[in-house]
Amino acid sequence: MIAKSLWALGLVAVPFAAHAQTEISWWHAMTGANAEVVEKIAGDFNASQGDYVLKPVFKGTYPEALNAGIAAFRAGQAPDIIQVFDVGTGVMMGAEGAIKPVAELLTENGATFDKSQYLPGIVAYYSNPAGEMLSFPYNSSSPILYYNKDIFQKAGLDVDNPPKTWDEVWTAARQIKSSGAATCGYTSTWLTWIHTENFAAWNNISWGTNENGLSGNPELKLDSETYVKHFQALADLAKEGVFVYGGRTSEAKQNFTSGECGILTESSGGLGDIVKAGINYGIGQLPYDATAPGAPQNTIPGGASLWVMGGKSDETYKGVAAFFNYLSQTDVQQYLHEQSGYLPVTMAAYEASKASGFYEQNPAREVPITQMMGKPPTENSKGVRAPNLPQIRDILNEEFEKMLAGQQDAATAMKAAVERGNAAIRDAAGG
């Protein structure tokens, strides 16, 4: 009887085996509202065709997802697609044979690939020096300022005019604290990305030599007077209890959504969680240093892109290409942009949001796009790259944390960060 049942099950299974869908694995680092967007996009893609099943798998924070991908590749168990944050771009570019360039993948699978349809600043960041796009820019972002309008009103600040310069942020943050409108005036996610990498680009000052590492391994220039002054201001605010440090990545967003802090600098991609928190919020451009000539210049992309791992089957690559084609569709990009706060990857999606009146109804939502596209990039504002950028960020964070704990001043912190960072870059480059 058991044998007969197994045989019957075997007969039933045969037709399904002949029409089996190819499974595509997608490792990602999205949480909260952005994880919901990932699940919806994957579900909609799966429903749109019958040949492939896209399976998203959460692998922790951005650094954790990158480390998991490296470990899986070494074990011969790499996913088909992995989301890697902007800091890991140099690491992935250096992994010859481990990746399949996206431009090559799309062309080989019959897609009409035209990089001019994508936002130029985003495409340039994820391309090699020859201009070949290596990864698909899934969730590109720009750092912006969020502020709690209710807290501003209680503090006697102008709710319709957020601070535009860093000096104005420091003044507003102190007023929030001293007025009792909130226990914390200002907090920030991602000190490395916002206060060094984008600080350099937005103020048109050098982060490092060789075009900030884009044309060769850089030597860091983060101990200049402009950086020291900026970080000493943060250290002073921390000592006064006006600035609250949340953590190395996006943890400080919770200090804002809880109502503890009145001002937050954070990725435009953090918008979904801020909306879900039900805060009466406003958005402003990333503050700039009023003493920097030519500032503001342009911001550089953050967020992450999708890398395709090497050594996969032709059928898998066909499925990945089909997903990227789906992801490029204007309505999909428009949904991703309007729901998450990330930038639209394609010009068509940007124009569609404009034409729909989205920016007229939500004028601040265009801020991260105009920040990045406002001026042609200079040598200081094309982006930053190093063979070991995640490690460089860790070094910087260690020195920042000592500074914010009152163990050293900003000049000492930046000097140590540059010395340690440059030594680490030399080691990573084999010399």
Side-chain angles (χ1 to χ4, degrees):
M1 183 71 176
I2 293 174
K4 185 176 179 182
S5 297
L6 290 172
W7 176 245
L9 287 171
L11 288 174
V12 171
V14 169
F16 289 97
H19 298 91
Q21 294 174 306
T22 300
E23 190 174 298
I24 309 294
S25 57
W26 174 16
W27 287 9
H28 70 90
M30 296 283 90
T31 59
N34 290 332
E36 294 171 13
V37 172
V38 165
E39 292 294 335
K40 181 176 183 346
I41 286 175
D44 289 350
F45 169 70
N46 291 339
S48 73
Q49 46 72 48
D51 295 325
Y52 310 103
V53 177
L54 182 67
K55 294 203 169 180
V57 180
F58 174 68
K59 299 302 286 188
T61 64
Y62 277 144
E64 288 167 350
L66 175 60
N67 290 336
I70 291 171
F73 174 76
R74 289 173 177 164
Q77 299 174 333
D80 303 318
I81 304 169
I82 182 169
Q83 182 190 32
V84 176
F85 64 152
D86 56 306
V87 188
T89 300
V91 175
M92 298 300 286
M93 282 182 171
E96 292 182 18
I99 63 158
K100 177 84 168 175
V102 161
E104 180 182 303
L105 168 88
L106 293 173
T107 302
E108 286 178 358
N109 286 281
T112 305
F113 177 64
D114 177 10
K115 68 180 181 181
S116 67
Q117 69 180 305
Y118 300 94
L119 265 64
I122 295 174
V123 169
Y125 193 83
Y126 294 115
S127 298
N128 62 17
E132 179 187 33
M133 196 159 81
L134 299 179
S135 61
F136 189 92
Y138 170 69
N139 58 308
S140 289
S141 61
S142 184
I144 55 177
L145 180 141
Y146 298 90
Y147 64 104
N148 186 313
K149 289 187 174 183
D150 293 339
I151 290 175
F152 262 50
Q153 189 169 31
K154 287 178 187 174
L157 296 166
D158 189 341
V159 297
D160 297 318
N161 288 294
K164 294 181 174 59
T165 68
W166 284 114
D167 282 343
E168 289 175 3
V169 171
W170 311 151
T171 300
R174 286 188 168 101
Q175 189 166 328
I176 288 168
K177 172 81 171 175
S178 64
S179 69
T183 57
C184 153
Y186 169 62
T187 190
S188 182
T189 61
W190 298 101
L191 291 191
T192 49
W193 179 56
I194 295 174
H195 291 268
T196 63
E197 295 160 22
N198 267 285
F199 185 85
W202 196 224
N203 293 299
N204 197 22
I205 61 174
S206 176
W207 177 87
T209 59
N210 291 327
E211 297 180 272
N212 293 341
L214 268 69
S215 63
N217 289 329
E219 285 189 7
L220 301 178
K221 297 295 181 183
L222 301 173
D223 53 354
S224 73
E225 182 182 347
T226 308
Y227 288 106
V228 171
K229 180 188 72 171
H230 181 74
F231 277 93
Q232 188 58 53
L234 276 177
D236 293 343
L237 289 167
K239 187 175 181 180
E240 297 167 25
V242 173
F243 172 78
V244 169
Y245 176 64
R248 296 185 176 187
T249 61
S250 61
E251 299 91 345
K253 181 166 53 179
Q254 296 173 5
N255 299 80
F256 180 74
T257 56
S258 69
E260 177 190 358
C261 299
I263 305 171
L264 167 74
T265 44
E266 152 71 332
S267 163
S268 59
L271 179 70
D273 287 330
I274 290 170
V275 170
K276 284 184 75 174
I279 290 174
N280 182 19
Y281 72 94
I283 289 175
Q285 68 177 18
L286 182 69
Y288 62 93
D289 187 323
T291 67
Q297 169 57 40
N298 66 276
T299 53
I300 54 178
S305 63
L306 304 182
W307 292 79
V308 183
M309 303 307 291
K312 303 296 181 178
S313 69
D314 290 345
E315 192 59 31
T316 294
Y317 285 145
K318 283 180 186 175
V320 174
F323 172 53
F324 286 168
N325 280 333
Y326 175 81
L327 203 51
S328 296
Q329 291 177 13
T330 300
D331 59 337
V332 177
Q333 279 298 315
Q334 190 177 358
Y335 165 79
L336 177 60
H337 166 51
E338 294 180 7
Q339 290 295 313
S340 68
Y342 287 112
L343 278 60
V345 169
T346 63
M347 292 300 296
Y350 177 36
E351 295 299 332
S353 287
K354 262 189 174 180
S356 72
F358 179 73
Y359 301 125
E360 291 177 11
Q361 297 167 22
N362 307 275
R365 294 290 300 277
E366 199 172 8
V367 167
I369 304 171
T370 56
Q371 277 186 176
M372 198 175 69
M373 297 175 62
K375 292 181 183 177
T378 68
E379 288 191 0
N380 295 324
S381 66
K382 293 177 183 175
V384 302
R385 199 157 290 158
N388 57 339
L389 196 50
Q391 182 189 8
I392 301 305
R393 280 194 176 178
D394 285 342
I395 289 169
L396 290 171
N397 281 319
E398 287 168 8
E399 299 301 335
F400 294 159
E401 286 166 355
K402 289 181 191 174
M403 178 195 75
L404 293 171
Q407 297 171 15
Q408 59 185 0
D409 63 13
T412 305
M414 302 314 281
K415 184 173 184 289
V418 166
E419 289 176 355
R420 292 178 61 202
N422 285 336
I425 291 170
R426 287 192 295 271
D427 288 345

